[in-house]
Amino acid sequence: MAERSFKKEVEKLRLGAGENFEGEGILAVTKALLQAGVAYVGGYQGSPISHLMDVFADADPLLKELGVHFESSANEAAAGAMLAASVNYPLRGAVAWKSVVGTNVASDALSNLASGGVTGGALIIIGEDYGEGSSIMQERTHAFAMKSQMWLLDPRPNLSTIVDMVEKGFELSEASNTPVMLEMRVRSCHMTGSFVAKDNRRPAMTMGDAAESPTRDLDRIVLPPAIFLHEIEKVERRWPAAQAFIRDNRLNEWFGPERDEIGIIVQGGLFNTLNRALELAGLSDTWGGTKLPVYCLNAVYPLIADEVTQFCAGKKAVLVLEEGQPEFIEHELNTILRRADIQTRVVGKDVMPRAGEYSGQVIGEGLARFLETWAPDRAPTRAQSMPAEPELAANVPARPAGFCTGCPERPIFSAMKLVQRELGQLHVSADIGCHLFSILPPFHIGNTTMGYGLGTAGASAFKPNGSGKRAVAMMGDGGFWHNGLTSGIGNAVFNQDDTVTIVVDNGYSAATGGQDILSSRADNDIRTTKHPIEKAVRGMGVRWARTLTRTYDVARMRDALREALTTPEKGPKVIVAQSECMLNKQRRIKPQLAKAASEGKRVVRERFGVDADTCTGDHACIRLSGCPSLSIRPNPDPLRQHPVTHIDNSCVGCGNCGEVAHAAVLCPSFWKATVVTNPGWWERTAAKLRGWIIAKMQRRHERALAARAF
């Protein structure tokens, strides 16, 4: 199994009332769900909540003891549909995924769920991937929550607060019969801290109990005429109930003095960053002892009008810190205050950036501009609001995303470049996953990307003309089972698309953390695996399909791709390119090899290098491979100026560089060495003999050179 193990961390989930729980934010969320009496959990992995799914997979024995059902969903839509269990039954259910991409996939299920409403508590744990470290389009979940009228919690990054918001989230959902979204930002997921644990609760009703006693409520089914009543119920009953619960349970927090001429309203997830900016300006301390009034919105939707007016009354201006755009919170605050005839000035995007992550420096600069206008006597100096930029950040160039050393996907694109030399440039429809890095140097391959598993669908409109040039689509094995089999392959078969799809089969969903999927070749105690991708596409109707079991064979990859692009066979063609993710492989085998070596066992690994005397210095190998372990060094020959290729110590011995050199008919300068730790007596003897012979031949060669010199 490639999945990361959390067996050790999972034991913390058994802590009882009064015990101190320490760990990451994601682990705290898991514990909070069990304390809240959750009956079922589902979801789809993706940064930053992948670990939540992994933890639940490793906690399967504990879940069974508590009667909790866990399911690793095929995609976010399947996870969202799971929450249907809470529509008719008093079952607390939670699902998780990466947003906004996962929320987009689950949108149909969520809209239906929000329309009919729920009986049991329904919690959607959103991994909000917005900001500098994001890997997706820059959008927020806030818009979707408003569109479907689901409540959105954005807890302050503090484990006690996060745990409390999970438990209160279920209660809010039940009090208002509405699904609740809990937004977990990247830093909240990975922060560490502690909180006082409670006992885990067995759900009052399990999924088995519900199945034994079926019930239905016609008014909750999303069909006319009920759908028109749902809209009225949202506005007239659910919304007021949610606002009353948030207000009565004080989900939002107040910090600092009660009275002041100015104040700050901040999204809960941004509070720690704000406090750091205030601390640098001399207006707070490390523990949140702010000298300015701060209204912290752990519930960002809906807003509570009474709390807003109470906080803003008597103030000249308030600064609103709301990341991204449009500025939904700022607009709503202005509406609330104008309706209450409160003339407090709402200052937001006029001093803060309209887009981008609100880092400590960004908030510090905006805070300084706000104070210069509304409280100049408390405005910090420039040095306080914006610390000097570190030299490292100022001088080190930005590092673009790229394939890892030894990545098995790199040779696929090396082969594609070789084919393009023969057939000309190809339109390549990219997909979500590591293979998307091919759009960057040195490959420059990839024209579009439309979503997870949508590579083939993105190429569907490209029909070969008289020249017969076909479009190529990329897809990962995770994307294939998530969405690609139906939306991509099925669609191509149905419409007789004459395209070529390359499915990268790592043996698990590598890009999301190594989770097992249907085509995984590992045994899994709680899931079924070993379902070949080629068998699935042939079952869908694909007639031309090939499986290559070693992507590092560049020549074979090149030949298979050329055949797919030139065969007279019409219809979709699929190449399944198999090789394990090198990053996960190294994570798995390095500890094993180190342990074996420490125990005195024989350990063998391969290393590659470049013969500097043979290398011509044209660096075609680097342009066709791009491995991070390939670099350059000065040419040892004083008569040649071009630097030669060099392989550094990060090499993992995948052999791709040599394969590329062979397939592209490049120079024969690559060599392979076998490094043996704890060799046997025969290997030691043979090594000494080889060394003696080589040394003798070198001395003879040196004497010959010296003789010719005279």
Side-chain angles (χ1 to χ4, degrees):
M1 183 183 297
E3 294 167 319
R4 176 183 167 187
S5 174
F6 289 87
K7 295 290 186 183
K8 182 178 180 181
E9 290 88 342
V10 159
E11 290 304 311
K12 296 180 182 180
L13 300 178
R14 295 183 179 275
L15 293 177
E19 296 185 86
N20 191 56
F21 187 104
E22 295 183 358
E24 279 191 322
I26 281 294
L27 204 63
V29 170
T30 312
K31 174 61 174 167
L33 291 172
L34 299 179
Q35 292 178 175
V38 69
Y40 64 95
V41 179
Y44 190 84
Q45 63 274 357
S47 175
I49 53 83
S50 289
H51 292 359
L52 182 64
M53 306 305 298
D54 296 337
V55 167
F56 267 104
D58 283 337
D60 190 62
L62 174 59
L63 300 183
K64 288 179 178 177
E65 292 173 22
L66 294 171
V68 178
H69 172 72
F70 167 68
E71 188 165 302
S72 182
S73 308
N75 54 37
E76 296 85 357
M82 276 188 73
L83 292 174
S86 295
V87 170
N88 293 304
Y89 305 93
L91 294 163
R92 286 187 168 182
V95 294
W97 54 68
K98 174 190 184 84
S99 194
V100 293
V101 286
T103 305
N104 292 341
V105 174
S107 59
D108 200 13
L110 293 181
S111 293
N112 279 276
L113 188 74
S115 181
V118 294
T119 301
L123 192 66
I124 302 122
I125 301 166
I126 296 296
E128 191 77 349
D129 193 7
Y130 178 90
E132 183 182 358
S134 175
S135 61
I136 59 170
M137 74 289 288
Q138 294 297 274
E139 295 181 3
R140 297 178 298 150
T141 306
H142 201 124
F144 192 95
M146 294 173 64
K147 184 269 295 182
S148 291
Q149 198 165 313
M150 295 185 290
W151 319 136
L152 180 61
L153 304 180
D154 183 13
R156 178 166 59 91
N158 169 279
L159 292 200
S160 295
T161 304
I162 291 171
V163 169
D164 189 48
M165 287 302 111
V166 171
E167 297 173 350
K168 288 292 193 290
F170 280 122
E171 296 174 20
L172 171 61
S173 176
E174 291 162 345
S176 60
N177 301 116
T178 303
V180 172
M181 289 179 158
L182 178 78
E183 181 177 286
M184 289 291 291
R185 297 164 183 254
V186 175
R187 288 173 176 78
S188 296
C189 288
H190 298 301
M191 67 175 290
T192 57
S194 63
F195 65 94
V196 178
K198 300 176 185 176
D199 289 331
N200 295 330
R201 288 171 48 193
R202 185 179 179 85
M205 173 182 279
T206 66
M207 299 301 296
D209 296 334
E212 288 294 321
S213 305
T215 185
R216 62 194 291 268
D217 182 351
L218 188 61
D219 288 340
R220 293 211 182 279
I221 298 176
V222 185
L223 278 174
I227 52 173
F228 307 109
L229 299 176
H230 293 165
E231 187 177 21
I232 296 173
E233 183 184 353
K234 280 183 179 182
V235 176
E236 295 185 355
R237 191 182 67 79
R238 296 188 208 167
W239 188 312
Q243 290 180 312
F245 182 91
I246 294 169
R247 180 181 60 248
D248 296 345
N249 289 271
R250 297 186 68 83
L251 267 58
N252 299 320
E253 300 175 281
W254 282 261
F255 296 89
E258 290 187 13
R259 297 186 180 278
D260 203 309
E261 290 186 328
I262 58 173
I264 302 173
I265 299 177
V266 61
Q267 291 173 293
L270 291 176
F271 177 83
N272 288 6
T273 312
L274 165 65
N275 190 66
R276 177 58 176 160
L278 289 169
E279 184 183 3
L280 291 172
L283 296 172
S284 186
D285 58 29
T286 304
W287 312 107
T290 172
K291 298 177 183 178
L292 295 179
V294 176
Y295 177 36
C296 179
L297 297 173
N298 292 315
V300 294
Y301 184 75
L303 296 180
I304 312 305
D306 293 348
E307 292 183 355
V308 171
T309 54
Q310 179 184 343
F311 180 79
C312 294
K315 292 182 174 62
K316 294 189 298 182
V318 293
L319 173 65
V320 180
L321 297 177
E322 176 186 6
E323 227 170 27
Q325 52 82 37
E327 54 269 41
F328 301 118
I329 295 175
E330 185 177 339
H331 289 168
E332 182 63 16
L333 290 174
N334 274 302
T335 300
I336 291 172
L337 294 179
R338 297 300 87 80
R339 285 175 176 171
D341 197 24
I342 294 176
Q343 302 308 310
T344 301
R345 172 71 181 272
V346 177
V347 181
K349 298 298 183 184
D350 41 355
V351 298
M352 297 298 299
R354 296 193 63 83
E357 184 177 1
Y358 282 7
S359 64
Q361 181 174 336
V362 170
I363 290 181
E365 292 171 354
L367 176 66
R369 286 190 287 267
F370 171 73
L371 292 175
E372 285 168 1
T373 301
W374 298 99
D377 57 317
R378 285 181 278 184
T381 65
R382 180 174 175 82
Q384 288 176 308
S385 64
M386 188 177 67
E389 188 175 27
E391 283 190 25
L392 187 66
N395 294 292
V396 175
R399 182 174 67 93
F403 295 105
C404 300
T405 300
C407 176
E409 301 187 18
R410 185 180 290 105
I412 296 172
F413 298 103
S414 297
M416 197 177 297
K417 290 194 76 170
L418 294 175
V419 170
Q420 288 190 142
R421 284 183 178 180
E422 302 176 38
L423 305 181
Q425 291 297 308
L426 302 168
H427 177 92
V428 179
S429 177
D431 206 324
I432 302 301
C434 296
H435 38 272
L436 188 56
F437 298 149
S438 65
I439 67 172
L440 300 172
F443 298 114
H444 302 283
I445 291 175
N447 298 69
T448 56
T449 177
M450 289 291 106
Y452 200 29
L454 293 176
T456 304
S460 61
F462 292 87
K463 308 296 182 183
N465 55 21
S467 66
K469 186 179 285 189
R470 292 162 176 151
V472 176
M474 296 301 304
M475 195 184 299
D477 47 359
F480 175 84
W481 294 112
H482 173 279
N483 193 19
L485 179 59
T486 53
S487 297
I489 304 302
N491 179 71
V493 170
F494 182 67
N495 289 293
Q496 302 181 66
D497 292 341
D498 196 10
T499 54
V500 177
T501 297
I502 300 175
V503 181
V504 182
D505 182 5
N506 295 127
Y508 39 76
S509 186
T512 59
Q515 292 79 13
D516 281 335
I517 50 180
L518 279 161
S519 53
S520 295
R521 291 176 284 283
D523 294 320
N524 193 307
D525 294 335
I526 61 174
R527 300 175 191 138
T528 175
T529 54
K530 302 179 181 177
H531 300 280
I533 291 175
E534 182 177 336
K535 186 176 180 181
V537 300
R538 288 190 180 277
M540 189 65 78
V542 173
R543 294 191 297 270
W544 194 104
R546 304 282 188 275
T547 296
L548 306 183
T549 57
R550 183 174 175 272
T551 63
Y552 296 104
D553 190 339
V554 177
R556 193 176 175 206
M557 279 296 313
R558 175 201 60 200
D559 295 343
L561 182 56
R562 185 198 297 117
E563 182 186 353
L565 289 166
T566 58
T567 178
E569 179 87 37
K570 299 299 181 182
K573 285 152 280 291
V574 177
I575 298 173
V576 182
Q578 295 180 338
S579 269
E580 184 180 5
C581 165
M582 184 58 71
L583 184 62
N584 276 338
K585 181 179 179 180
Q586 292 298 314
R587 285 173 176 165
R588 186 182 72 253
I589 67 173
K590 275 189 174 180
Q592 297 172 354
L593 296 178
K595 181 181 179 183
S598 67
E599 294 173 350
K601 297 178 181 178
R602 181 177 181 272
V603 175
V604 180
R605 61 189 181 90
E606 292 183 343
R607 277 293 311 276
F608 286 79
V610 174
D611 184 352
D613 292 329
T614 308
C615 178
T616 62
D618 68 347
H619 308 137
C621 52
I622 295 177
R623 293 193 298 273
L624 283 170
S625 170
C627 180
S629 67
L630 281 174
S631 60
I632 58 174
R633 63 165 39 171
N635 200 314
D637 188 340
L639 299 180
R640 292 191 292 170
Q641 296 181 346
H642 296 295
V644 295
T645 300
H646 171 65
I647 300 179
D648 63 30
N649 287 328
S650 66
C651 173
V652 295
C654 70
N656 179 49
C657 49
E659 294 278 356
V660 168
H662 175 72
V665 196
L666 300 178
C667 65
S669 58
F670 289 89
W671 51 259
K672 179 174 72 173
T674 301
V675 182
V676 182
T677 305
N678 300 321
W681 69 270
W682 169 248
E683 287 174 312
R684 292 195 298 271
T685 302
K688 289 179 181 178
L689 180 60
R690 283 194 297 267
W692 180 81
I693 294 173
I694 292 171
K696 185 175 181 179
M697 295 176 69
Q698 285 176 334
R699 287 194 296 270
R700 189 174 71 177
H701 180 63
E702 290 170 359
R703 287 196 298 270
L705 289 176
R708 285 199 295 269
F710 288 106

